[in-house]
Short mmCIF file of all heavy atoms in Angstrom, two decimals:
data_model
loop_
_atom_site.label_atom_id
_atom_site.label_comp_id
_atom_site.label_asym_id
_atom_site.label_seq_id
_atom_site.Cartn_x
_atom_site.Cartn_y
_atom_site.Cartn_z
N MET A 28 0.85 -1.18 0.00
CA MET A 28 0.00 0.00 0.00
C MET A 28 0.89 1.23 0.00
O MET A 28 1.77 1.37 0.83
CB MET A 28 -0.88 -0.04 1.24
CG MET A 28 -1.66 1.18 1.46
SD MET A 28 -2.65 1.14 2.97
CE MET A 28 -2.92 -0.53 3.31
N GLY A 29 0.66 2.13 -0.96
CA GLY A 29 1.43 3.36 -1.02
C GLY A 29 0.61 4.52 -0.50
O GLY A 29 1.05 5.29 0.34
N SER A 30 -0.61 4.64 -1.02
CA SER A 30 -1.45 5.76 -0.60
C SER A 30 -2.72 5.22 0.04
O SER A 30 -3.14 4.10 -0.20
CB SER A 30 -1.81 6.63 -1.80
OG SER A 30 -2.58 5.91 -2.75
N TYR A 31 -3.31 6.06 0.87
CA TYR A 31 -4.51 5.69 1.59
C TYR A 31 -5.45 6.89 1.54
O TYR A 31 -5.25 7.87 2.26
CB TYR A 31 -4.14 5.34 3.04
CG TYR A 31 -5.24 4.70 3.82
CD1 TYR A 31 -5.54 3.36 3.63
CD2 TYR A 31 -5.99 5.43 4.72
CE1 TYR A 31 -6.56 2.76 4.34
CE2 TYR A 31 -7.01 4.84 5.44
CZ TYR A 31 -7.28 3.50 5.25
OH TYR A 31 -8.30 2.92 5.95
N ARG A 32 -6.42 6.84 0.61
CA ARG A 32 -7.31 7.98 0.41
C ARG A 32 -8.71 7.47 0.08
O ARG A 32 -8.86 6.42 -0.53
CB ARG A 32 -6.84 8.84 -0.76
CG ARG A 32 -5.53 9.52 -0.54
CD ARG A 32 -5.10 10.30 -1.74
NE ARG A 32 -6.02 11.41 -2.01
CZ ARG A 32 -5.80 12.32 -2.96
NH1 ARG A 32 -4.73 12.23 -3.71
NH2 ARG A 32 -6.67 13.28 -3.16
N ALA A 33 -9.71 8.26 0.43
CA ALA A 33 -11.06 7.96 0.00
C ALA A 33 -11.13 8.18 -1.51
O ALA A 33 -10.71 9.21 -2.00
CB ALA A 33 -12.05 8.86 0.72
N CYS A 34 -11.65 7.18 -2.21
CA CYS A 34 -11.58 7.22 -3.67
C CYS A 34 -12.99 7.34 -4.27
O CYS A 34 -13.88 6.56 -3.92
CB CYS A 34 -10.89 5.95 -4.15
SG CYS A 34 -10.84 5.83 -5.95
N PRO A 35 -13.20 8.31 -5.16
CA PRO A 35 -14.53 8.52 -5.73
C PRO A 35 -14.95 7.44 -6.73
O PRO A 35 -16.11 7.42 -7.14
CB PRO A 35 -14.40 9.88 -6.44
CG PRO A 35 -12.95 9.99 -6.75
CD PRO A 35 -12.22 9.29 -5.64
N MET A 36 -14.06 6.54 -7.07
CA MET A 36 -14.43 5.49 -8.03
C MET A 36 -15.38 4.47 -7.40
O MET A 36 -16.17 3.84 -8.09
CB MET A 36 -13.18 4.80 -8.57
CG MET A 36 -12.27 5.72 -9.36
SD MET A 36 -13.10 6.48 -10.78
CE MET A 36 -13.20 5.07 -11.85
N ASN A 37 -15.27 4.28 -6.09
CA ASN A 37 -16.21 3.41 -5.36
C ASN A 37 -16.39 2.01 -5.95
O ASN A 37 -17.52 1.52 -6.06
CB ASN A 37 -17.58 4.10 -5.24
CG ASN A 37 -17.51 5.35 -4.42
OD1 ASN A 37 -16.92 5.35 -3.33
ND2 ASN A 37 -18.07 6.44 -4.91
N CYS A 38 -15.31 1.39 -6.29
CA CYS A 38 -15.40 0.00 -6.76
C CYS A 38 -16.02 -0.84 -5.64
O CYS A 38 -15.67 -0.68 -4.47
CB CYS A 38 -14.02 -0.53 -7.13
SG CYS A 38 -13.24 0.42 -8.47
N ARG A 39 -16.91 -1.72 -5.98
CA ARG A 39 -17.68 -2.46 -4.97
C ARG A 39 -16.82 -3.33 -4.06
O ARG A 39 -17.19 -3.61 -2.92
CB ARG A 39 -18.74 -3.30 -5.64
CG ARG A 39 -19.82 -2.47 -6.28
CD ARG A 39 -20.81 -3.34 -6.97
NE ARG A 39 -21.33 -4.33 -6.05
CZ ARG A 39 -22.59 -4.67 -5.96
NH1 ARG A 39 -23.46 -4.13 -6.75
NH2 ARG A 39 -22.97 -5.58 -5.11
N TYR A 40 -15.69 -3.80 -4.57
CA TYR A 40 -14.85 -4.73 -3.80
C TYR A 40 -13.81 -4.02 -2.95
O TYR A 40 -13.04 -4.67 -2.24
CB TYR A 40 -14.15 -5.71 -4.75
CG TYR A 40 -13.35 -5.00 -5.82
CD1 TYR A 40 -12.05 -4.60 -5.58
CD2 TYR A 40 -13.92 -4.72 -7.04
CE1 TYR A 40 -11.33 -3.93 -6.54
CE2 TYR A 40 -13.21 -4.04 -8.03
CZ TYR A 40 -11.91 -3.65 -7.76
OH TYR A 40 -11.20 -2.99 -8.72
N CYS A 41 -13.74 -2.69 -3.02
CA CYS A 41 -12.62 -1.97 -2.41
C CYS A 41 -13.05 -1.13 -1.21
O CYS A 41 -13.96 -0.32 -1.30
CB CYS A 41 -11.97 -1.07 -3.47
SG CYS A 41 -10.59 -0.11 -2.83
N SER A 42 -12.35 -1.31 -0.11
CA SER A 42 -12.70 -0.59 1.12
C SER A 42 -12.32 0.88 1.08
O SER A 42 -12.71 1.64 1.96
CB SER A 42 -12.02 -1.26 2.32
OG SER A 42 -10.63 -1.24 2.16
N LEU A 43 -11.56 1.31 0.07
CA LEU A 43 -11.17 2.71 -0.02
C LEU A 43 -12.24 3.59 -0.68
O LEU A 43 -12.11 4.81 -0.69
CB LEU A 43 -9.85 2.85 -0.79
CG LEU A 43 -8.63 2.19 -0.15
CD1 LEU A 43 -7.42 2.33 -1.06
CD2 LEU A 43 -8.34 2.78 1.21
N GLY A 44 -13.27 3.01 -1.23
CA GLY A 44 -14.33 3.80 -1.87
C GLY A 44 -14.93 4.81 -0.90
O GLY A 44 -15.30 4.45 0.22
N GLU A 45 -15.04 6.06 -1.30
CA GLU A 45 -15.52 7.10 -0.37
C GLU A 45 -16.96 6.89 0.06
O GLU A 45 -17.37 7.33 1.13
CB GLU A 45 -15.31 8.49 -0.96
CG GLU A 45 -16.16 8.81 -2.15
CD GLU A 45 -15.88 10.20 -2.74
OE1 GLU A 45 -14.94 10.87 -2.27
OE2 GLU A 45 -16.59 10.57 -3.67
N SER A 46 -17.74 6.18 -0.73
CA SER A 46 -19.14 5.92 -0.37
C SER A 46 -19.26 5.10 0.91
O SER A 46 -20.25 5.20 1.63
CB SER A 46 -19.86 5.16 -1.48
OG SER A 46 -20.04 5.98 -2.59
N TRP A 47 -18.25 4.28 1.21
CA TRP A 47 -18.32 3.41 2.39
C TRP A 47 -18.02 4.20 3.66
O TRP A 47 -18.36 3.75 4.75
CB TRP A 47 -17.37 2.22 2.26
CG TRP A 47 -17.32 1.58 0.91
CD1 TRP A 47 -16.19 1.21 0.23
CD2 TRP A 47 -18.40 1.25 0.04
NE1 TRP A 47 -16.53 0.69 -1.01
CE2 TRP A 47 -17.87 0.70 -1.14
CE3 TRP A 47 -19.78 1.37 0.13
CZ2 TRP A 47 -18.66 0.27 -2.21
CZ3 TRP A 47 -20.57 0.95 -0.94
CH2 TRP A 47 -20.01 0.40 -2.08
N GLY A 48 -17.30 5.31 3.53
CA GLY A 48 -17.00 6.14 4.70
C GLY A 48 -16.00 5.51 5.66
O GLY A 48 -15.96 5.87 6.83
N LEU A 49 -15.19 4.58 5.19
CA LEU A 49 -14.25 3.89 6.07
C LEU A 49 -12.93 4.62 6.24
O LEU A 49 -12.23 4.42 7.23
CB LEU A 49 -13.97 2.48 5.54
CG LEU A 49 -15.19 1.56 5.48
CD1 LEU A 49 -14.83 0.24 4.81
CD2 LEU A 49 -15.75 1.32 6.87
N VAL A 50 -12.57 5.46 5.27
CA VAL A 50 -11.30 6.18 5.35
C VAL A 50 -11.52 7.45 6.16
O VAL A 50 -12.20 8.37 5.73
CB VAL A 50 -10.76 6.53 3.96
CG1 VAL A 50 -9.48 7.35 4.06
CG2 VAL A 50 -10.52 5.26 3.15
N LYS A 51 -10.97 7.46 7.37
CA LYS A 51 -11.14 8.61 8.26
C LYS A 51 -9.95 9.56 8.18
O LYS A 51 -10.08 10.74 8.46
CB LYS A 51 -11.31 8.15 9.71
CG LYS A 51 -12.45 7.17 9.92
CD LYS A 51 -13.79 7.79 9.62
CE LYS A 51 -14.91 6.81 9.94
NZ LYS A 51 -16.11 7.07 9.20
N LYS A 52 -8.79 8.99 7.84
CA LYS A 52 -7.58 9.81 7.78
C LYS A 52 -6.80 9.40 6.53
O LYS A 52 -6.46 8.23 6.38
CB LYS A 52 -6.73 9.59 9.04
CG LYS A 52 -5.50 10.45 9.11
CD LYS A 52 -4.73 10.20 10.39
CE LYS A 52 -3.43 10.97 10.39
NZ LYS A 52 -2.55 10.59 11.48
N GLU A 53 -6.52 10.36 5.67
CA GLU A 53 -5.82 10.05 4.43
C GLU A 53 -4.32 10.23 4.61
O GLU A 53 -3.88 11.02 5.45
CB GLU A 53 -6.33 10.96 3.31
CG GLU A 53 -7.80 10.74 3.04
CD GLU A 53 -8.33 11.54 1.87
OE1 GLU A 53 -7.65 12.47 1.42
OE2 GLU A 53 -9.42 11.20 1.39
N GLY A 54 -3.57 9.50 3.82
CA GLY A 54 -2.12 9.62 3.93
C GLY A 54 -1.42 8.81 2.87
O GLY A 54 -2.04 8.19 2.03
N GLU A 55 -0.10 8.84 2.96
CA GLU A 55 0.72 8.12 2.01
C GLU A 55 1.99 7.65 2.70
O GLU A 55 2.64 8.43 3.39
CB GLU A 55 1.07 9.04 0.83
CG GLU A 55 1.87 8.37 -0.26
CD GLU A 55 2.08 9.29 -1.46
OE1 GLU A 55 1.14 10.01 -1.84
OE2 GLU A 55 3.20 9.29 -1.99
N PHE A 56 2.30 6.37 2.56
CA PHE A 56 3.55 5.86 3.11
C PHE A 56 4.70 6.32 2.23
O PHE A 56 4.58 6.31 1.00
CB PHE A 56 3.54 4.33 3.13
CG PHE A 56 2.61 3.74 4.14
CD1 PHE A 56 1.44 3.12 3.77
CD2 PHE A 56 2.92 3.81 5.49
CE1 PHE A 56 0.58 2.57 4.70
CE2 PHE A 56 2.07 3.27 6.44
CZ PHE A 56 0.90 2.64 6.05
N ASN A 57 5.82 6.70 2.84
CA ASN A 57 6.99 7.00 2.03
C ASN A 57 7.71 5.69 1.68
O ASN A 57 7.36 4.62 2.19
CB ASN A 57 7.91 8.02 2.72
CG ASN A 57 8.54 7.48 3.98
OD1 ASN A 57 8.89 6.32 4.07
ND2 ASN A 57 8.68 8.36 4.98
N ASP A 58 8.69 5.77 0.81
CA ASP A 58 9.39 4.57 0.33
C ASP A 58 9.94 3.76 1.49
O ASP A 58 9.81 2.53 1.52
CB ASP A 58 10.53 4.95 -0.61
CG ASP A 58 10.02 5.49 -1.94
OD1 ASP A 58 8.79 5.58 -2.12
OD2 ASP A 58 10.87 5.82 -2.79
N GLN A 59 10.60 4.42 2.43
CA GLN A 59 11.22 3.69 3.54
C GLN A 59 10.19 2.97 4.39
O GLN A 59 10.43 1.85 4.86
CB GLN A 59 12.05 4.65 4.41
CG GLN A 59 13.28 5.18 3.70
CD GLN A 59 14.13 4.07 3.09
OE1 GLN A 59 14.43 3.07 3.75
NE2 GLN A 59 14.50 4.22 1.83
N GLU A 60 9.03 3.58 4.58
CA GLU A 60 7.97 2.91 5.36
C GLU A 60 7.47 1.67 4.63
O GLU A 60 7.26 0.62 5.24
CB GLU A 60 6.81 3.88 5.60
CG GLU A 60 7.16 5.00 6.57
CD GLU A 60 6.09 6.08 6.63
OE1 GLU A 60 5.58 6.49 5.57
OE2 GLU A 60 5.76 6.49 7.75
N VAL A 61 7.27 1.78 3.32
CA VAL A 61 6.79 0.64 2.54
C VAL A 61 7.81 -0.50 2.58
O VAL A 61 7.47 -1.66 2.81
CB VAL A 61 6.49 1.05 1.08
CG1 VAL A 61 6.18 -0.17 0.22
CG2 VAL A 61 5.34 2.04 1.04
N ILE A 62 9.09 -0.14 2.40
CA ILE A 62 10.14 -1.16 2.40
C ILE A 62 10.25 -1.81 3.78
O ILE A 62 10.38 -3.03 3.90
CB ILE A 62 11.47 -0.54 1.94
CG1 ILE A 62 11.36 -0.18 0.45
CG2 ILE A 62 12.64 -1.47 2.20
CD1 ILE A 62 12.46 0.71 -0.07
N ARG A 63 10.16 -1.03 4.83
CA ARG A 63 10.25 -1.58 6.19
C ARG A 63 9.10 -2.56 6.45
O ARG A 63 9.30 -3.66 6.98
CB ARG A 63 10.21 -0.43 7.23
CG ARG A 63 10.28 -0.91 8.67
CD ARG A 63 10.23 0.24 9.67
NE ARG A 63 9.14 1.18 9.44
CZ ARG A 63 7.87 0.96 9.76
NH1 ARG A 63 7.53 -0.18 10.33
NH2 ARG A 63 6.94 1.86 9.53
N ILE A 64 7.90 -2.20 6.04
CA ILE A 64 6.75 -3.08 6.25
C ILE A 64 6.91 -4.35 5.42
O ILE A 64 6.65 -5.46 5.90
CB ILE A 64 5.44 -2.33 5.89
CG1 ILE A 64 5.20 -1.20 6.89
CG2 ILE A 64 4.26 -3.30 5.87
CD1 ILE A 64 4.13 -0.20 6.45
N ALA A 65 7.35 -4.20 4.17
CA ALA A 65 7.55 -5.38 3.30
C ALA A 65 8.60 -6.30 3.89
O ALA A 65 8.43 -7.53 3.92
CB ALA A 65 7.93 -4.92 1.90
N GLN A 66 9.71 -5.73 4.39
CA GLN A 66 10.76 -6.55 4.99
C GLN A 66 10.24 -7.33 6.20
O GLN A 66 10.59 -8.49 6.41
CB GLN A 66 11.94 -5.67 5.41
CG GLN A 66 12.80 -5.25 4.24
CD GLN A 66 13.91 -4.30 4.64
OE1 GLN A 66 13.78 -3.56 5.61
NE2 GLN A 66 14.98 -4.30 3.88
N LYS A 67 9.40 -6.67 6.98
CA LYS A 67 8.84 -7.35 8.16
C LYS A 67 8.03 -8.57 7.73
O LYS A 67 8.15 -9.65 8.31
CB LYS A 67 7.98 -6.36 8.95
CG LYS A 67 7.42 -6.93 10.23
CD LYS A 67 6.69 -5.85 11.01
CE LYS A 67 6.22 -6.30 12.38
NZ LYS A 67 5.47 -7.52 12.39
N TYR A 68 7.21 -8.41 6.71
CA TYR A 68 6.41 -9.54 6.23
C TYR A 68 7.31 -10.65 5.70
O TYR A 68 7.07 -11.83 5.94
CB TYR A 68 5.43 -9.10 5.15
CG TYR A 68 4.20 -8.40 5.68
CD1 TYR A 68 3.86 -7.12 5.25
CD2 TYR A 68 3.37 -9.02 6.60
CE1 TYR A 68 2.73 -6.47 5.73
CE2 TYR A 68 2.25 -8.39 7.10
CZ TYR A 68 1.93 -7.11 6.66
OH TYR A 68 0.82 -6.48 7.13
N VAL A 69 8.35 -10.28 4.97
CA VAL A 69 9.27 -11.28 4.41
C VAL A 69 9.95 -12.05 5.55
O VAL A 69 10.05 -13.28 5.52
CB VAL A 69 10.31 -10.62 3.49
CG1 VAL A 69 11.44 -11.58 3.14
CG2 VAL A 69 9.63 -10.10 2.23
N GLU A 70 10.39 -11.32 6.58
CA GLU A 70 11.04 -11.97 7.72
C GLU A 70 10.10 -12.94 8.43
O GLU A 70 10.53 -13.91 9.03
CB GLU A 70 11.54 -10.90 8.71
CG GLU A 70 12.73 -10.13 8.19
CD GLU A 70 13.00 -8.86 8.99
OE1 GLU A 70 12.35 -8.64 10.03
OE2 GLU A 70 13.86 -8.07 8.53
N GLU A 71 8.81 -12.66 8.36
CA GLU A 71 7.83 -13.54 9.00
C GLU A 71 7.38 -14.68 8.10
O GLU A 71 6.51 -15.46 8.46
CB GLU A 71 6.64 -12.70 9.47
CG GLU A 71 7.03 -11.76 10.60
CD GLU A 71 5.89 -10.87 11.07
OE1 GLU A 71 4.77 -11.00 10.56
OE2 GLU A 71 6.14 -10.03 11.94
N GLY A 72 7.97 -14.75 6.90
CA GLY A 72 7.72 -15.90 6.04
C GLY A 72 6.75 -15.72 4.89
O GLY A 72 6.43 -16.67 4.19
N ILE A 73 6.28 -14.49 4.70
CA ILE A 73 5.35 -14.28 3.59
C ILE A 73 6.08 -14.52 2.26
O ILE A 73 7.28 -14.27 2.15
CB ILE A 73 4.75 -12.84 3.66
CG1 ILE A 73 3.42 -12.77 2.95
CG2 ILE A 73 5.68 -11.83 3.06
CD1 ILE A 73 2.27 -12.90 3.86
N ARG A 74 5.38 -15.06 1.30
CA ARG A 74 6.03 -15.43 0.04
C ARG A 74 5.79 -14.42 -1.08
O ARG A 74 6.53 -14.39 -2.04
CB ARG A 74 5.58 -16.81 -0.38
CG ARG A 74 6.04 -17.84 0.66
CD ARG A 74 5.70 -19.21 0.28
NE ARG A 74 6.39 -19.59 -0.93
CZ ARG A 74 6.12 -20.68 -1.60
NH1 ARG A 74 5.21 -21.50 -1.19
NH2 ARG A 74 6.77 -20.96 -2.70
N TRP A 75 4.73 -13.64 -1.01
CA TRP A 75 4.53 -12.59 -1.99
C TRP A 75 3.71 -11.46 -1.38
O TRP A 75 2.96 -11.67 -0.43
CB TRP A 75 3.93 -13.11 -3.29
CG TRP A 75 2.64 -13.87 -3.17
CD1 TRP A 75 2.50 -15.17 -2.82
CD2 TRP A 75 1.32 -13.37 -3.40
NE1 TRP A 75 1.18 -15.52 -2.83
CE2 TRP A 75 0.44 -14.44 -3.19
CE3 TRP A 75 0.80 -12.14 -3.77
CZ2 TRP A 75 -0.93 -14.30 -3.33
CZ3 TRP A 75 -0.58 -12.00 -3.91
CH2 TRP A 75 -1.41 -13.07 -3.70
N ILE A 76 3.92 -10.28 -1.91
CA ILE A 76 3.29 -9.06 -1.37
C ILE A 76 2.64 -8.29 -2.51
O ILE A 76 3.21 -8.17 -3.60
CB ILE A 76 4.36 -8.16 -0.69
CG1 ILE A 76 4.93 -8.88 0.54
CG2 ILE A 76 3.79 -6.80 -0.32
CD1 ILE A 76 6.11 -8.18 1.16
N VAL A 77 1.47 -7.78 -2.27
CA VAL A 77 0.77 -6.93 -3.23
C VAL A 77 0.85 -5.49 -2.74
O VAL A 77 0.46 -5.20 -1.61
CB VAL A 77 -0.71 -7.34 -3.37
CG1 VAL A 77 -1.45 -6.38 -4.30
CG2 VAL A 77 -0.83 -8.77 -3.86
N LEU A 78 1.40 -4.62 -3.57
CA LEU A 78 1.43 -3.20 -3.24
C LEU A 78 0.18 -2.57 -3.85
O LEU A 78 0.00 -2.58 -5.06
CB LEU A 78 2.68 -2.53 -3.79
CG LEU A 78 4.02 -3.03 -3.25
CD1 LEU A 78 5.17 -2.29 -3.94
CD2 LEU A 78 4.09 -2.83 -1.75
N ARG A 79 -0.66 -2.01 -3.01
CA ARG A 79 -1.89 -1.40 -3.49
C ARG A 79 -1.83 0.10 -3.32
O ARG A 79 -1.28 0.60 -2.34
CB ARG A 79 -3.10 -1.94 -2.72
CG ARG A 79 -3.39 -3.38 -3.03
CD ARG A 79 -4.78 -3.75 -2.61
NE ARG A 79 -5.75 -2.91 -3.31
CZ ARG A 79 -6.96 -2.66 -2.85
NH1 ARG A 79 -7.34 -3.14 -1.69
NH2 ARG A 79 -7.80 -1.91 -3.52
N THR A 80 -2.43 0.80 -4.25
CA THR A 80 -2.52 2.26 -4.16
C THR A 80 -3.91 2.67 -4.63
O THR A 80 -4.67 1.85 -5.13
CB THR A 80 -1.49 2.95 -5.07
OG1 THR A 80 -1.88 2.75 -6.43
CG2 THR A 80 -0.10 2.41 -4.86
N THR A 81 -4.21 3.93 -4.50
CA THR A 81 -5.45 4.44 -5.09
C THR A 81 -5.15 4.93 -6.50
O THR A 81 -4.00 4.94 -6.95
CB THR A 81 -6.00 5.62 -4.27
OG1 THR A 81 -5.07 6.68 -4.33
CG2 THR A 81 -6.26 5.21 -2.83
N GLN A 82 -6.19 5.37 -7.17
CA GLN A 82 -6.02 5.87 -8.53
C GLN A 82 -5.21 7.17 -8.58
O GLN A 82 -4.79 7.60 -9.64
CB GLN A 82 -7.38 6.13 -9.16
CG GLN A 82 -8.16 7.23 -8.50
CD GLN A 82 -9.36 7.65 -9.32
OE1 GLN A 82 -9.63 7.11 -10.38
NE2 GLN A 82 -10.10 8.62 -8.82
N PHE A 83 -4.98 7.78 -7.42
CA PHE A 83 -4.25 9.04 -7.38
C PHE A 83 -2.74 8.85 -7.37
O PHE A 83 -1.99 9.80 -7.48
CB PHE A 83 -4.65 9.84 -6.14
CG PHE A 83 -6.13 10.01 -6.01
CD1 PHE A 83 -6.85 9.25 -5.11
CD2 PHE A 83 -6.81 10.92 -6.81
CE1 PHE A 83 -8.22 9.40 -4.99
CE2 PHE A 83 -8.17 11.07 -6.71
CZ PHE A 83 -8.88 10.31 -5.79
N TYR A 84 -2.30 7.62 -7.18
CA TYR A 84 -0.88 7.35 -7.03
C TYR A 84 -0.24 7.20 -8.41
O TYR A 84 -0.76 6.49 -9.27
CB TYR A 84 -0.69 6.07 -6.23
CG TYR A 84 0.63 5.92 -5.55
CD1 TYR A 84 0.91 6.59 -4.37
CD2 TYR A 84 1.61 5.11 -6.09
CE1 TYR A 84 2.13 6.45 -3.74
CE2 TYR A 84 2.83 4.96 -5.48
CZ TYR A 84 3.08 5.63 -4.29
OH TYR A 84 4.28 5.49 -3.68
N SER A 85 0.87 7.83 -8.61
CA SER A 85 1.53 7.82 -9.91
C SER A 85 2.07 6.43 -10.26
O SER A 85 2.77 5.82 -9.44
CB SER A 85 2.67 8.84 -9.87
OG SER A 85 3.74 8.44 -10.65
N PRO A 86 1.78 5.92 -11.47
CA PRO A 86 2.35 4.63 -11.89
C PRO A 86 3.87 4.65 -11.89
O PRO A 86 4.51 3.65 -11.55
CB PRO A 86 1.80 4.44 -13.31
CG PRO A 86 0.57 5.28 -13.36
CD PRO A 86 0.83 6.45 -12.45
N GLU A 87 4.47 5.79 -12.20
CA GLU A 87 5.93 5.87 -12.19
C GLU A 87 6.47 5.69 -10.78
O GLU A 87 7.51 5.04 -10.58
CB GLU A 87 6.38 7.24 -12.75
CG GLU A 87 6.14 7.41 -14.25
CD GLU A 87 4.68 7.73 -14.60
OE1 GLU A 87 3.92 8.18 -13.72
OE2 GLU A 87 4.32 7.51 -15.77
N LYS A 88 5.76 6.22 -9.80
CA LYS A 88 6.20 6.07 -8.41
C LYS A 88 6.12 4.61 -7.96
O LYS A 88 7.01 4.11 -7.29
CB LYS A 88 5.36 6.94 -7.47
CG LYS A 88 5.78 8.39 -7.46
CD LYS A 88 4.86 9.24 -6.62
CE LYS A 88 5.01 9.03 -5.15
NZ LYS A 88 4.19 10.00 -4.37
N ILE A 89 5.04 3.93 -8.33
CA ILE A 89 4.89 2.54 -7.89
C ILE A 89 5.93 1.65 -8.58
O ILE A 89 6.48 0.74 -7.96
CB ILE A 89 3.45 2.02 -8.08
CG1 ILE A 89 3.25 0.69 -7.33
CG2 ILE A 89 3.10 1.80 -9.53
CD1 ILE A 89 3.00 0.81 -5.90
N ILE A 90 6.23 1.93 -9.83
CA ILE A 90 7.26 1.15 -10.53
C ILE A 90 8.61 1.34 -9.85
O ILE A 90 9.34 0.38 -9.61
CB ILE A 90 7.31 1.55 -12.02
CG1 ILE A 90 6.04 1.04 -12.72
CG2 ILE A 90 8.56 0.98 -12.70
CD1 ILE A 90 5.83 1.62 -14.11
N ALA A 91 8.94 2.57 -9.51
CA ALA A 91 10.21 2.84 -8.82
C ALA A 91 10.23 2.16 -7.44
O ALA A 91 11.24 1.60 -7.03
CB ALA A 91 10.42 4.34 -8.68
N LEU A 92 9.11 2.19 -6.77
CA LEU A 92 9.03 1.59 -5.44
C LEU A 92 9.19 0.08 -5.51
O LEU A 92 9.86 -0.52 -4.65
CB LEU A 92 7.69 1.97 -4.79
CG LEU A 92 7.45 1.51 -3.37
CD1 LEU A 92 8.58 1.96 -2.46
CD2 LEU A 92 6.11 2.04 -2.88
N VAL A 93 8.61 -0.55 -6.50
CA VAL A 93 8.78 -2.01 -6.66
C VAL A 93 10.26 -2.33 -6.84
O VAL A 93 10.78 -3.27 -6.23
CB VAL A 93 7.94 -2.53 -7.84
CG1 VAL A 93 8.34 -3.95 -8.20
CG2 VAL A 93 6.46 -2.45 -7.50
N GLY A 94 10.95 -1.55 -7.66
CA GLY A 94 12.38 -1.78 -7.86
C GLY A 94 13.16 -1.66 -6.55
O GLY A 94 14.01 -2.49 -6.24
N LYS A 95 12.86 -0.65 -5.75
CA LYS A 95 13.55 -0.46 -4.47
C LYS A 95 13.21 -1.59 -3.50
O LYS A 95 14.06 -2.02 -2.72
CB LYS A 95 13.14 0.87 -3.84
CG LYS A 95 13.64 2.08 -4.59
CD LYS A 95 13.12 3.34 -3.92
CE LYS A 95 13.42 4.57 -4.76
NZ LYS A 95 12.82 5.79 -4.16
N SER A 96 11.98 -2.06 -3.53
CA SER A 96 11.54 -3.10 -2.60
C SER A 96 12.19 -4.44 -2.89
O SER A 96 12.32 -5.27 -1.99
CB SER A 96 10.01 -3.29 -2.69
OG SER A 96 9.37 -2.09 -2.38
N LYS A 97 12.60 -4.68 -4.11
CA LYS A 97 13.18 -5.96 -4.48
C LYS A 97 14.64 -6.07 -4.08
O LYS A 97 15.17 -7.16 -4.01
CB LYS A 97 13.09 -6.17 -5.99
CG LYS A 97 11.70 -6.51 -6.45
CD LYS A 97 11.72 -6.71 -7.94
CE LYS A 97 10.59 -7.60 -8.37
NZ LYS A 97 10.65 -7.85 -9.82
N LYS A 98 15.28 -4.95 -3.79
CA LYS A 98 16.69 -4.99 -3.41
C LYS A 98 16.84 -5.59 -2.03
O LYS A 98 16.06 -5.28 -1.14
CB LYS A 98 17.29 -3.58 -3.45
CG LYS A 98 17.38 -3.04 -4.86
CD LYS A 98 18.02 -1.68 -4.88
CE LYS A 98 18.06 -1.18 -6.32
NZ LYS A 98 18.35 0.22 -6.42
N PRO A 99 17.86 -6.48 -1.86
CA PRO A 99 18.06 -7.11 -0.55
C PRO A 99 18.49 -6.13 0.52
O PRO A 99 18.96 -5.09 0.27
CB PRO A 99 19.14 -8.15 -0.81
CG PRO A 99 19.76 -7.81 -2.11
CD PRO A 99 18.81 -6.90 -2.83
S1 LIG B 983 -8.75 2.72 -4.95
FE1 LIG B 983 -8.84 1.61 -6.90
S2 LIG B 983 -10.04 -0.22 -6.48
FE2 LIG B 983 -10.39 1.22 -4.78
S3 LIG B 983 -12.23 2.35 -5.30
FE3 LIG B 983 -10.51 3.52 -6.07
S4 LIG B 983 -10.19 2.87 -8.19
FE4 LIG B 983 -11.49 1.34 -7.16
#
């Protein structure tokens, strides 16, 4: 997860849709926070991780973040 925002697209399967009213505080994890969280999951034995963002997050940023996350 990179960004956490209420999203006007309101996809039925997604908890970030603003219609549900579940997002009380919006924010965005920086690269180091994302990498730290991913490392924690890896250390606990997780085998794959899905990075999710809202539609507001730049595809270029997520591509760069995936590259950084893969480095040991
Ligand atoms: S964040 Fe993505 S999946 Fe969720 S409501 Fe918005 S567009 Fe749909």
Side-chain angles (χ1 to χ4, degrees):
M28 172 182 335
S30 63
Y31 191 78
R32 294 177 65 175
C34 176
M36 296 302 287
N37 295 313
C38 299
R39 292 178 54 137
Y40 55 86
C41 179
S42 60
L43 297 177
E45 68 182 5
S46 291
W47 319 135
L49 298 174
V50 177
K51 304 296 184 204
K52 183 179 175 190
E53 298 185 345
E55 182 175 320
F56 289 108
N57 66 36
D58 290 1
Q59 292 308 313
E60 290 171 316
V61 172
I62 291 167
R63 179 180 50 77
I64 293 167
Q66 283 176 332
K67 184 175 186 309
Y68 282 124
V69 168
E70 288 165 7
E71 292 178 3
I73 204 97
R74 296 183 64 190
W75 55 280
I76 295 172
V77 176
L78 297 178
R79 291 198 60 204
T80 70
T81 64
Q82 66 168 0
F83 307 103
Y84 202 79
S85 147
E87 290 78 19
K88 280 175 72 174
I89 193 81
I90 290 168
L92 183 54
V93 168
K95 292 177 189 176
S96 300
K97 285 181 155 183
K98 292 182 181 166

